[in-house]
Amino acid sequence: KNQEDVKVLTEKFKAMKGMILTEYHGLSVSAISDLRKELRKAGCEYLVVKNTLSKIALKEVGLEGVDKYFEGPTAIVIEKDDPVTPAKTVVEFSKKNEKFVVKAGLLDGKLIELNEIKALASLPTKEVLIGKMLGSMKAPISNFVGVLSAVTRNFVCVLNAIKEQKEKAA
C-alpha cells in the first residue's frame, strides 16, 4: 500500500506547477472541508500526507530541499495551473484560523518561504493580469483612432466656421 501511495504522490508531484505545505493540527473536520472546497474551486487538491512517503516521492521526482518542512502533521496543496489563487486561499484561511500554519512551498521546482507565499497571494489573478495586458495593448490603437477622429472633427469645425463667416458677410 505504501508503494502504491508513493507512486500516486510521485505522479501528482510530476504534474503539479507548485505546492504549498501546511500544518493543520487542531483544525476541525468542517474547517478542513471548507478549505478543500475553496481549493477545489481554484483547481487544486488538498492532501493530508505521510511525511516519509512524501519525502520518498519528492526524491523520485528530483525535488529536494523541502524535506525539513515535512515534520508534524503535514498537508499539501497541489497547484496545477495558477499559483496565485491557491496562495490567496491558503493565506486568507490562515488569517481566519490561527491553528492553520503555512510552512513553505514549491513553485516551478524552487523552494519559497512564507513571506514569498504571502507576496504571491497579493498578486492579481491570472485573468486580471491578462485583462490588464489586453487593455494596455488596446490603448495605443484607441488613442490613434481618437487622434484620427479629432483631425476630421477639427476639419469639419473649420469648414463650419468658414460657412458661418461667409453667411455673416453676405
Side-chain angles (χ1 to χ4, degrees):
K1 184 184 181 320
N2 285 346
Q3 288 176 340
E4 184 62 33
D5 289 346
V6 169
K7 190 176 182 181
V8 168
L9 277 175
T10 303
E11 292 303 314
K12 288 184 184 286
F13 291 162
K14 284 180 182 176
M16 72 179 184
K17 255 209 161 147
M19 160 193 325
I20 299 174
L21 302 167
T22 65
E23 185 175 318
Y24 61 90
H25 186 69
L27 285 176
S28 67
V29 174
S30 64
I32 292 174
S33 295
D34 291 343
L35 176 61
R36 275 197 170 115
K37 285 178 191 173
E38 289 299 315
L39 289 169
R40 246 184 257 123
K41 288 179 189 173
C44 300
E45 282 185 82
Y46 188 68
L47 304 171
V48 175
V49 294
K50 291 183 179 178
N51 293 335
T52 53
L53 300 180
S54 297
K55 289 176 185 179
I56 293 169
L58 285 169
K59 279 185 182 175
E60 286 187 20
V61 175
L63 297 171
E64 296 181 28
V66 190
D67 297 358
K68 63 183 177 185
Y69 295 103
F70 282 94
E71 299 293 327
T74 304
I76 55 176
V77 177
I78 295 180
E79 307 163 1
K80 296 175 186 165
D81 184 33
D82 176 27
V84 175
T85 307
K88 282 181 190 256
T89 305
V90 168
V91 168
E92 286 299 315
F93 189 79
S94 70
K95 288 178 184 175
K96 295 175 189 171
N97 299 283
E98 295 175 9
K99 294 179 181 179
F100 182 77
V101 177
V102 179
K103 295 181 179 181
L106 280 173
L107 185 60
D108 291 329
K110 294 182 181 141
L111 181 67
I112 57 174
E113 300 291 330
L114 176 61
N115 58 350
E116 294 169 308
I117 293 171
K118 288 182 178 178
L120 188 63
S122 68
L123 292 174
T125 62
K126 185 178 179 179
E127 291 80 17
V128 172
L129 288 174
I130 290 172
K132 286 183 178 183
M133 183 186 73
L134 289 175
S136 297
M137 291 171 63
K138 182 182 146 201
I141 296 169
S142 298
N143 292 342
F144 183 67
V145 168
V147 167
L148 288 179
S149 66
V151 170
T152 308
R153 190 176 7 176
N154 290 342
F155 180 69
V156 170
C157 288
V158 167
L159 287 178
N160 194 31
I162 291 172
K163 175 187 148 201
E164 287 176 4
Q165 220 175 24
K166 288 189 177 186
E167 286 177 353
K168 285 183 183 177

